[in-house]
Amino acid sequence: MQKDRKKAALHDLLLAAGVLLAAGVLSLLLRPGGGGAWAVVSVDGQEIARYRLDQDREETIGQGDYNILRIENGAAAVTEANCGDRTCVVMGPISREGETIVCLPHRLLIRVEGGEASGVDAVS
Ligand SMILES: [Zn+2]
């Protein structure tokens, strides 16, 4: 049964890579025309919502399987989720163009678009 578990892990990895790739292609196609950064929320590769990063808010994404997305101080983070591994909670916050939070069990992808792509890495 060990082998099967390995296979499942590989499958998850491939799925994640696929989701990221799809999101990347999508963002190239749908390049927003400037003006602030957005947290773009996709489930199963389908964009379901986008929220401005300059407006603080909290959204619950999903119903039975939920992730709570909090936008605060120009950054997006998943603060709570019932996905089991909670990788998505640990991954945040994100604020720069192209940064992502992925929740594999919920097939959820949150990606920053339109932020400051260039410039100094302002980690202090
Ligand atoms: Zn998760």
Side-chain angles (χ1 to χ4, degrees):
M1 293 308 118
Q2 283 259 331
K3 237 181 192 166
D4 283 340
R5 204 171 294 155
K6 249 184 197 160
K7 224 182 231 172
L10 183 66
H11 179 261
D12 278 358
L13 263 178
L14 287 175
L15 192 70
V19 168
L20 284 174
L21 193 70
V25 169
L26 216 68
S27 74
L28 279 179
L29 290 174
L30 309 171
R31 193 133 250 193
W38 297 80
V40 180
V41 181
S42 305
V43 175
D44 255 337
Q46 295 268 65
E47 180 179 325
I48 59 163
R50 53 173 64 211
Y51 305 108
R52 298 187 63 94
L53 282 187
D54 58 5
Q55 291 168 359
D56 292 0
R57 68 191 300 159
E58 192 169 271
E59 295 289 335
T60 302
I61 298 159
Q63 282 154 7
D65 295 338
Y66 71 92
N67 298 71
I68 294 176
L69 168 67
R70 173 177 284 164
I71 293 175
E72 201 171 41
N73 300 323
V78 173
T79 55
E80 187 58 57
N82 65 341
C83 53
D85 66 4
R86 293 171 64 85
T87 306
C88 50
V89 178
V90 179
M91 281 173 107
I94 56 172
S95 60
R96 274 172 295 172
E97 163 101 62
E99 287 185 314
T100 56
I101 294 174
V102 181
C103 183
L104 272 182
H106 296 172
R107 282 168 295 188
L108 173 77
L109 177 80
I110 300 164
R111 180 186 159 88
V112 174
E113 279 185 13
E116 302 291 322
S118 62
V120 194
D121 198 324
V123 176
S124 53

